[in-house]
């Protein structure tokens, strides 16, 4: 809890006045409501709670010099002490004193031990907790990973930098000097306990805070694969973003875990879900899929998901139609690099193919697996470890892109909806670790399928 403290430095007089001010969150760029503000004088202290606008006030304050500070839960997550401010009360005049969290620049400089004038990149901080009781997890490892591409005379080189931090006894961690304004993966582990490797977007401000929850998981056989299960339960509702109506028969599932379908009221319930921070996939025919991170905790709150129609998403990218046409030329250029496998419209016409699954079945390394639990045709390919020679590496679901729009781990039906086979003019297939940066979001251990269509 954050408390603003005012310490009396000089003697009192009988004159009484008001001390007021605002507590501000410089990181979130908003008032910090709920902060506990304490005014401490020579004869004792007083406490007030900041309102939703961060405002606080103390009446009948004697003349003198005071120091102001505050406490709030966010300070604990930052492992910071409340800053101090001096205020002078004199001659019955009202006094104004504002307190705030440090700015992202100062925060990065303080935590990463660098000058505030130096460019320290971005910083990711947070607390790792156990999903069963929310207790801080000390000595947990937090790994951040992202993609970097460098171009030289020798060619294009793709790197996957990885930075690991260890939590303190309060579960707190900090990872310095990660790239700003991009996507990276974040994962926490401690012994047999772990979170999922989740996708996070690092803002241009250079500061990201994210709590991670860990828990033990186990794997059970499900068809031709093994899925991760646990003792958690995820409930919620799926609706259409356009009209707020419930979506029936939408597929909702934990990535690499159990799945469920929504009922006629758009409600779903996933049992045997692995506890901890996980990725939730939500798909409905005709809607843009949702891929978000959630915290599966004991007694966790229901999840509410709004899906956008594919038409509305496509409408938002019409202005980039010329850029998409340019990327068709990029398709031709990339086909000369040999980093992936490339198929033009003649590939489809040659065999008279009429659906996405028929097209993809003919691509070496891709398989279409029917999931009897969801009645979906799932696209799979070899995982990163299998590509690098691990015989136990198994298969995975690749990221799918259609005209620069990421569908995530799309099914064959999803692709048919987005890219009718008679409009496909180009397909790129990349194994894990070989996709260009624009087609490797999420630092997935799987590869990517990129599809281009006629306008």
């Amino acid at each position: 809890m954050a408390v603003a403290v005012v310490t009396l430095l000089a003697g009192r007089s009988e004159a009484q006045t008001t001390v007021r001010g605002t507590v501000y969150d410089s990181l979130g760029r908003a008032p910090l409501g709920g902060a506990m503000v304490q005014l401490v004088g020579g004869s004792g202290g007083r406490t007030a709670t900041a309102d939703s606008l961060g405002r606080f006030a103390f009446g009948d304050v004697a003349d003198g010099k005071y120091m102001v500070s505050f406490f709030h839960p966010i300070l604990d997550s930052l492992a910071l002490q409340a800053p101090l401010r001096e205020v002078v009360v004199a001659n019955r005049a009202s006094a104004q004193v504002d307190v705030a969290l440090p700015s992202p620049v100062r925060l990065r400089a303080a935590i990463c031990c660098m000058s505030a004038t130096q460019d320290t990149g971005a910083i990711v901080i947070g607390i790792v907790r156990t999903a069963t009781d929310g207790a801080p997890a000390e000595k947990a490892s937090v790994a951040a990973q992202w993609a970097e591409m460098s171009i030289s005379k020798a060619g294009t080189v793709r790197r996957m930098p990885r930075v690991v931090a260890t939590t303190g006894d309060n579960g707190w961690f900090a990872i310095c000097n990660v790239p700003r304004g991009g996507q990276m993966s974040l994962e926490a582990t401690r012994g047999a306990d772990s979170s999922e490797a989740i996708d996070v977007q690092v803002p241009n401000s250079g500061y990201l805070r994210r709590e991670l929850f860990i828990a033990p998981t186990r794997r059970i056989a499900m068809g031709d694969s093994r899925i991760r299960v646990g003792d958690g339960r995820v409930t919620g509702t799926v609706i259409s973003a356009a009209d707020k109506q419930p979506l029936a028969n939408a597929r909702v599932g934990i990535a690499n875990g159990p799945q469920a379908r929504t009922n006629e009221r758009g409600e779903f319930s996933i049992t045997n879900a692995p506890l901890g921070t996980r990725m939730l996939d939500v798909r409905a025919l005709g809607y843009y899929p949702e891929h978000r991170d959630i915290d599966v905790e004991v007694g966790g709150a229901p999840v509410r998901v709004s899906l956008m129609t594919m038409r509305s998403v496509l409408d938002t990218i019409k202005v980039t139609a010329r850029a998409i046409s340019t990327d068709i030329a990029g398709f031709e250029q990339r086909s000369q690099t040999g980093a992936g496998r490339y198929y033009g419209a003649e590939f489809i016409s040659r065999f008279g193919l009429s659906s996405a699954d028929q097209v993809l079945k003919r691509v070496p390394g891709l398989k279409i697996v029917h999931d009897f639990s969801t009645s979906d045709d799932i696209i799979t390919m070899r995982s990163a470890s299998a590509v690098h020679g691990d015989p136990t590496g198994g298969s995975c679901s690749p990221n799918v892109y259609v005209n620069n729009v990421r569908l995530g781990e799309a099914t064959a039906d999803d692709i048919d909806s987005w890219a009718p086979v008679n409009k496909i003019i180009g397909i790129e297939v990349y194994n894990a670790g070989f996709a260009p940066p624009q087609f490797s979001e999420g630092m997935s251990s799987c590869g990517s399928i990129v599809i281009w269509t006629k306008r």
Side-chain angles (χ1 to χ4, degrees), residues 289-312:
E290 176 84 2
H291 191 61
R292 66 158 70 172
D293 56 280
I294 63 170
D295 296 322
V296 183
E297 307 172 68
V298 175
V303 178
R304 183 179 175 87
V305 181
S306 298
L307 296 184
M308 296 179 64
T309 64
M310 290 186 176
R311 179 180 179 84
S312 65

Side-chain angles (χ1 to χ4, degrees), residues 345 348 353-356 359 416 419-425 452-454:
I348 298 170
L353 306 177
S354 60
S355 64
V359 174
D416 274 332
V421 70
N422 63 335
K423 290 189 175 183
I424 295 177
I425 57 177
W452 304 99
T453 68
K454 302 173 186 176

Side-chain angles (χ1 to χ4, degrees), residues 9-307:
L9 301 182
R12 299 181 51 169
S13 77
E14 295 304 317
Q16 305 292 303
T17 188
T18 299
V19 173
R20 58 172 53 88
T22 300
V23 185
Y24 190 75
D25 179 1
S26 301
L27 300 173
R29 299 181 179 182
L32 191 62
M36 298 300 297
V37 183
Q38 186 181 27
L39 179 67
V40 179
S43 59
R46 297 162 57 186
T47 301
T49 302
D51 64 16
S52 61
L53 298 179
R55 299 173 302 192
F56 64 89
F58 296 94
D60 297 329
V61 178
D63 286 0
K65 293 182 180 179
Y66 299 82
M67 296 297 296
V68 179
S69 184
F70 70 94
F71 295 94
H72 190 276
I74 196 171
L75 285 170
D76 297 332
S77 70
L78 296 173
L80 294 176
Q81 293 184 344
L84 296 173
R85 289 289 308 277
E86 181 181 277
V87 61
V88 177
V89 177
N91 301 323
R92 305 179 68 89
S94 295
Q96 177 79 25
V97 56
D98 297 324
V99 289
L101 292 175
S103 67
V105 172
R106 292 187 177 277
L107 181 67
R108 291 196 307 270
I111 295 178
C112 299
C113 300
M114 299 181 72
S115 168
T117 60
Q118 291 178 283
D119 183 3
T120 60
I123 182 172
V124 179
I125 66 173
I127 295 178
V128 178
R129 302 182 183 275
T130 57
T132 51
D133 57 10
E138 63 175 322
K139 297 182 179 179
S141 295
V142 181
Q145 189 171 26
W146 61 93
E148 289 182 356
M149 186 74 73
S150 60
I151 301 175
S152 66
K153 293 181 179 179
T156 301
V157 178
R158 186 173 186 268
R159 297 177 57 248
M160 297 289 290
R162 178 182 172 88
V163 179
V164 179
T166 302
T167 62
D169 56 8
N170 59 354
W172 185 81
F173 70 90
I175 301 176
C176 297
N177 299 324
V178 302
R180 304 187 195 188
Q183 192 173 52
M184 61 186 294
S185 70
L186 206 59
E187 180 180 14
T189 59
R190 186 180 66 175
D193 295 358
S194 66
S195 73
E196 196 78 20
I198 63 169
D199 303 335
V200 295
Q201 186 72 28
V202 182
N204 290 323
S205 65
Y207 164 78
L208 174 68
R209 176 180 176 270
R210 180 61 164 91
E211 288 197 347
L212 297 169
F213 290 80
I214 59 175
T217 61
R218 60 186 186 275
R219 294 182 181 272
I220 63 171
M222 180 67 72
D224 295 330
S225 60
R226 298 180 66 83
I227 66 170
R228 182 178 292 176
V229 297
D231 302 318
R233 182 169 180 261
V234 181
T235 62
T237 307
V238 180
I239 65 171
S240 168
D243 57 13
K244 310 304 179 184
Q245 293 301 304
L247 294 179
N249 206 37
R251 181 162 67 91
V252 186
I254 300 294
N256 304 313
Q259 313 282 316
R261 291 276 185 175
T262 57
N263 60 20
E264 66 277 2
R265 296 184 297 277
E267 301 166 338
F268 68 89
S269 177
I270 302 173
T271 57
N272 299 321
L275 292 169
T277 299
R278 307 294 170 192
M279 295 302 296
L280 185 72
D281 292 321
V282 185
R283 292 184 175 84
L285 191 61
Y287 289 83
Y288 185 67
E290 176 84 2
H291 191 61
R292 66 158 70 172
D293 56 280
I294 63 170
D295 296 322
V296 183
E297 307 172 68
V298 175
V303 178
R304 183 179 175 87
V305 181
S306 298
L307 296 184

Side-chain angles (χ1 to χ4, degrees), residues 321-346:
R322 189 176 301 276
I324 290 176
S325 177
T326 301
D327 269 336
I328 297 302
F331 165 79
E332 298 293 343
Q333 295 172 359
R334 288 188 292 272
S335 67
Q336 306 302 316
T337 67
R341 297 186 295 279
Y342 305 86
Y343 306 91
E346 69 281 356

Side-chain angles (χ1 to χ4, degrees), residues 355-358 360 368 376-379 410-417:
S355 64
D357 61 334
Q358 291 181 1
L360 298 176
I368 307 295
D376 287 324
D377 289 326
I378 307 299
I379 306 165
T411 67
D413 285 341
D414 292 333
I415 295 178
D416 274 332
S417 298

